[in-house]
Amino acid sequence: MINFIAFIFTLMLSQNDVLVQQSGVSVPLSDVDSYFHEIPPDIRTQLSYDPLQLEQDIIGMLNMNIIYDHIQSQGLVEQSPFKNVIQQIKSKPLDMDASVYKSLGVSADEFEKNYRHYLIKKALYSTLQDYLLQQIDEKKATRLAHDRFLVNQKQYRKPQKRDIGMIKLSMDKYSQDDVLALVKDLLKEDTAERFSDLAGDVSTDKTVEYNAGQLGQFHQAGFRYPFAETVFTADKGVVPAVFQQDDAWYIVRVNDIIAGQPGKFADHQDDLVARIKNEMMERQFQYIIDQYAKNSIEVNKELVADVFRRYEVFQ
């Protein structure tokens, strides 16, 4: 019964009915229909039950249409790459789901025209972002990136690494006192070779036959054991302690300490410049939207209050 009432309600609406508008830019019902057509069926059903989310999505469509209006008013539609994007969408065949537009009471021809226009506006939204990104001065972005690197040098410092050896022992076979005795014995003649010999004899770690208990180099963040902090504050040599995790004992040796190094701008330049350029583009993009936001959003309250019933056909 609900879907039948919703279907009858769809016949009362026009594709050109305006839901919201701001500074002369509006969101017609056709955009929302196109949006419902574009999203996957399961999301379409969820959205039909969620008017608050749909309200947010409609505001997103308003921003899309603001950008489209800006592109038109600046004459960018006649320039590359905007002109190419429009021509491409106008000429390509559309994959339309007849069950959607029929459920909404819209003819195939009318829906195709509106859906194609919606796709153009959506594509131009991201095209303007790419266009603005390409217009950013590379040298200026690099200078700003270098300044950010200098301010945040600690963040880019290469952390200390430690070359670590480890012996794993079963708690079923060894008591804590047994393991402590092994640690004391290793400390009497503390060499990597002797540590590896003992690892080969007693360690239950599955990799011991390949690495003789020598795990290699780690940053502290990559050494994911609960005793990492103790290991990374210890001196070189066997750590004078018995460690436990789950059902095993661990003996650890610090074979070498590789000091941290100051970061080099060249190692982070590409990432920092890309981030700076993207931030500059986003500010320019938001500035365009903000110019329209000087006027408040006008909502067709009577229509918006009832339009959600239109999409109950997807429940």
Side-chain angles (χ1 to χ4, degrees):
M1 176 64 72
I2 291 177
N3 284 353
F4 175 74
I5 295 173
F7 177 73
I8 295 298
F9 185 75
T10 64
L11 302 179
M12 301 166 57
L13 299 173
S14 165
Q15 288 286 279
N16 295 322
D17 284 342
V18 171
L19 303 180
V20 297
Q21 59 183 335
Q22 186 177 39
S23 299
V25 177
S26 63
V27 177
L29 182 67
S30 60
D31 279 352
V32 186
D33 284 357
S34 294
Y35 176 67
F36 262 88
H37 175 274
E38 192 176 36
I39 59 180
D42 57 329
I43 305 299
R44 189 182 300 146
T45 299
Q46 291 177 27
L47 191 58
S48 70
Y49 285 102
D50 193 348
L52 292 178
Q53 181 59 53
L54 183 54
E55 284 181 8
Q56 294 178 26
D57 294 342
I58 290 172
I59 298 303
M61 293 175 221
L62 179 60
N63 288 337
M64 176 185 74
N65 292 348
I66 284 172
I67 293 301
Y68 179 67
D69 185 77
H70 171 79
I71 291 171
Q72 284 188 308
S73 66
Q74 297 300 310
L76 296 176
V77 288
E78 298 301 325
Q79 299 180 25
S80 179
F82 304 96
K83 185 176 182 179
N84 299 337
V85 169
I86 294 171
Q87 289 176 341
Q88 181 183 17
I89 296 177
K90 281 185 174 180
S91 61
K92 76 173 185 179
L94 296 183
D95 183 16
M96 300 195 308
D97 186 343
S99 67
V100 173
Y101 60 77
K102 286 182 179 179
S103 295
L104 295 173
V106 184
S107 69
D109 289 343
E110 185 177 18
F111 186 80
E112 179 179 357
K113 179 190 71 175
N114 293 331
Y115 183 44
R116 197 179 295 276
H117 187 54
Y118 168 86
L119 292 177
I120 287 173
K121 293 187 291 185
K122 181 182 175 185
L124 291 181
Y125 186 93
S126 58
T127 301
L128 181 61
Q129 291 177 321
D130 294 339
Y131 176 80
L132 293 175
L133 201 58
Q134 295 301 317
Q135 303 304 306
I136 293 172
D137 184 274
E138 188 77 19
K139 291 182 179 179
K140 180 179 179 181
T142 302
R143 288 196 302 271
L144 291 171
H146 188 258
D147 290 344
R148 180 173 295 185
F149 173 79
L150 293 176
V151 170
N152 300 285
Q153 273 188 314
K154 288 184 179 179
Q155 177 183 339
Y156 299 104
R157 181 179 176 84
K158 292 182 179 180
Q160 179 197 92
K161 291 195 293 186
R162 296 197 166 205
D163 189 275
I164 294 174
M166 192 162 70
I167 296 172
K168 180 180 180 181
L169 298 165
S170 170
M171 295 181 70
D172 293 335
K173 294 184 178 180
Y174 293 87
S175 68
Q176 187 172 12
D177 288 340
D178 293 336
V179 181
L180 185 58
L182 290 174
V183 171
K184 290 179 178 179
D185 187 57
L186 285 169
L187 286 168
K188 292 176 182 177
E189 188 181 340
D190 190 355
T191 66
E193 292 77 12
R194 191 157 179 266
F195 190 91
S196 289
D197 289 342
L198 181 62
D201 291 338
V202 301
S203 182
T204 59
D205 190 286
K206 293 180 180 179
T207 65
V208 70
E209 61 179 302
Y210 307 109
N211 61 23
Q214 302 303 328
L215 303 185
Q217 296 181 358
F218 288 85
H219 298 122
Q220 183 172 342
F223 189 69
R224 299 183 179 180
Y225 288 89
F227 42 86
E229 185 174 350
T230 302
V231 171
F232 275 78
T233 54
D235 295 328
K236 286 176 62 174
V238 173
V239 181
V242 175
F243 300 109
Q244 178 187 353
Q245 178 177 262
D246 299 328
D247 297 324
W249 303 111
Y250 291 88
I251 302 172
V252 179
R253 186 177 196 277
V254 178
N255 299 319
D256 195 12
I257 299 174
I258 300 92
Q261 298 291 329
K264 297 179 181 179
F265 176 62
D267 294 337
H268 303 278
Q269 180 174 342
D270 289 347
D271 179 64
L272 281 169
V273 169
R275 198 179 308 170
I276 290 289
K277 289 174 69 175
N278 197 61
E279 290 171 3
M280 293 171 71
M281 177 276 291
E282 288 177 347
R283 284 195 295 270
Q284 291 181 48
F285 196 79
Q286 187 60 48
Y287 176 78
I288 294 169
I289 294 174
D290 289 345
Q291 297 311 295
Y292 287 78
K294 291 178 179 179
N295 297 312
S296 60
I297 296 176
E298 300 175 36
V299 180
N300 187 335
K301 294 182 180 179
E302 183 177 347
L303 181 59
V304 169
D306 294 330
V307 76
F308 301 118
R309 296 184 60 187
R310 174 178 181 80
Y311 303 108
E312 291 176 358
V313 293
F314 299 119
Q315 294 178 3

